[in-house]
Amino acid sequence: MAKKALITGVTGQDGSYLADFLLSLGYEVYGMVRRTSTVRYERIQHIQHQLHLMQGDMGDLSSLITVISEVEPDEIYNLAAQSFVPTSWNQPVFTGDITGLGVTRILDAVRTVNPKIRFYQASSSEMFGKVREVPQTENTPFYPRSPYGVAKVYGHWITVNYRESYDLYACSGILFNHESPRRGLEFVTRKTTYHVAKIKLGLADEIRIGNTDAQRDWGFAGDYVRAMWLMLQQDVPDDYVIATGETHSVERLLEVAFEHVGLNWRDYAIQDPRFMRPAEVDLLVGDYSKAGKALGWEPEVNFEQLIAMMVEADLKKLQDDPQSAI
């Protein structure tokens, strides 16, 4: 019998890579999608015929119970969230409800339907926020600096709480920034590679950017979903930091992306206060040694390879369909 996995947030970057990965392992993959007026399936188009899509909503406990009862999954990967940090200031209550309380709802649904289901919670390096130490480990205190970070801290601790209170197999992966050609255009990495491609093809002449000094630990989403799966294959549930252990500034991101197409970023980048955060997270860099030892996991794609991959994908996308440029 093939194992069954349910992925919430299956239409997102991580959900689509995880679905790819689990299908390659022979899983039967179910994805939960919200009923909305605009359904966006671009990231899973290539595998949609292999997926079972179920309607459910992180804001509605009864729908979660129904989906889990119908699917009867062996594993659940909770990747659904309002995941764009700047939006969390404009929609703090919605972010808290979906990204925070949504985790309680799905854990409660698991407890109600079948407490033997293995559960993965997508935690975030944004929980560290105003960092208390560098690099950050599983034991670094949290100090979130956005409503999104605060909601993720709630989701993280409620997962620990349900694990300890109800003996659930529930893990949190504290994932540092992870990117790919499937990243949303609102994120600084994809915004950069997309604009670089547009500028190279003569479709734009500038990129407006926020804080170029902010530093992040950027890895490849395809590597990180492998870590999610590994967490649920262990004998004992635990929480793990997943990162590259290297940090790069936004300025370095611009430099690498523009250099890939033979241009100097300083000729095109304009700093714009509209893209500054009310409270910035300055230096995020993760120590993944625990995951390395316990899971045998390590990143395979480095920063320069990642950015080159994203620039190439955006060049191809825009060359194939220049009318799609936004």
Side-chain angles (χ1 to χ4, degrees):
M1 279 284 286
K3 270 190 174 179
K4 286 197 274 192
L6 172 64
I7 304 171
T8 71
V10 71
T11 59
Q13 169 189 257
D14 293 8
S16 66
Y17 276 106
L18 180 60
D20 279 334
F21 180 68
L22 294 176
L23 287 168
S24 78
L25 296 178
Y27 275 67
E28 204 174 323
V29 181
Y30 292 77
M32 194 178 86
V33 293
R34 261 187 318 160
R35 179 172 163 70
T36 57
S37 51
T38 54
V39 182
R40 305 187 60 163
Y41 290 161
E42 305 99 285
R43 295 184 183 98
I44 55 169
Q45 240 166 7
H46 63 294
I47 50 171
Q48 205 170 326
H49 61 290
Q50 296 172 267
L51 300 177
H52 308 278
L53 296 181
M54 314 287 290
Q55 282 190 1
D57 195 310
M58 295 300 290
D60 183 69
L61 176 60
S62 62
S63 75
L64 297 174
I65 289 173
T66 300
V67 169
I68 295 169
S69 300
E70 287 179 8
V71 173
E72 298 182 328
D74 299 287
E75 299 168 0
I76 293 177
Y77 297 85
N78 182 38
L79 312 184
Q82 189 300 101
S83 64
F84 188 45
V85 176
T87 296
S88 74
W89 273 285
N90 298 330
Q91 300 182 10
V93 175
F94 174 71
T95 300
D97 186 39
I98 301 306
T99 308
L101 285 174
V103 186
T104 314
R105 292 188 192 101
I106 195 163
L107 282 166
D108 225 42
V110 167
R111 187 171 71 89
T112 303
V113 176
N114 177 8
K116 295 281 176 266
I117 294 168
R118 295 194 167 199
F119 178 83
Y120 172 83
Q121 166 59 14
S123 286
S124 165
S125 60
E126 288 284 334
M127 301 188 307
F128 296 122
K130 191 174 181 179
V131 299
R132 315 319 283 163
E133 62 183 4
V134 178
Q136 292 88 53
T137 72
E138 292 80 7
N139 298 318
T140 302
F142 299 137
Y143 193 144
R145 297 269 280 171
S146 66
Y148 170 77
V150 172
K152 278 291 185 185
V153 169
Y154 177 91
H156 179 85
W157 281 119
I158 202 70
T159 301
V160 172
N161 187 260
Y162 268 62
R163 177 170 75 216
E164 294 177 353
S165 303
Y166 301 115
D167 200 27
L168 297 185
Y169 191 110
C171 297
S172 279
I174 306 171
L175 271 55
F176 279 66
N177 294 60
H178 44 287
E179 319 299 313
S180 75
R182 300 181 196 171
R183 193 55 143 153
L185 286 167
E186 66 272 26
F187 292 88
V188 69
T189 44
R190 181 73 198 295
K191 175 181 175 175
T192 297
T193 61
Y194 190 71
H195 275 78
V196 165
K198 284 202 329 188
I199 288 165
K200 183 64 178 176
L201 297 173
L203 299 170
D205 54 15
E206 67 178 33
I207 175 171
R208 292 187 167 266
I209 208 86
N211 179 9
T212 56
D213 296 327
Q215 297 182 67
R216 294 289 184 273
D217 182 330
W218 278 302
F220 172 49
D223 286 341
Y224 285 36
V225 299
R226 197 172 73 252
M228 299 175 185
W229 174 77
L230 284 167
M231 285 179 214
L232 295 196
Q233 311 316 308
Q234 307 309 305
D235 292 336
V236 177
D238 206 348
D239 307 322
Y240 299 90
V241 162
I242 303 298
T244 69
E246 293 180 9
T247 188
H248 302 276
S249 65
V250 173
E251 181 174 312
R252 176 68 182 147
L253 162 67
L254 291 163
E255 191 178 21
V256 171
F258 276 96
E259 269 179 8
H260 187 73
V261 296
L263 299 174
N264 184 339
W265 71 274
R266 293 182 189 279
D267 297 335
Y268 303 96
I270 297 168
Q271 205 159 37
D272 188 329
R274 284 180 308 158
F275 298 112
M276 299 289 196
R277 292 183 179 186
E280 183 54 89
V281 172
D282 299 313
L283 177 58
L284 289 173
V285 55
D287 174 355
Y288 69 91
S289 53
K290 179 179 171 182
K293 288 191 193 83
L295 309 177
W297 179 87
E298 58 181 42
E300 292 176 2
V301 177
N302 71 28
F303 178 70
E304 287 74 19
Q305 291 169 327
L306 170 64
I307 301 309
M309 175 204 304
M310 291 173 68
V311 171
E312 286 299 322
D314 280 327
L315 281 167
K316 183 177 185 319
K317 182 184 175 77
L318 288 165
Q319 281 165 333
D320 290 350
D321 184 11
Q323 300 304 312
S324 71
I326 56 171

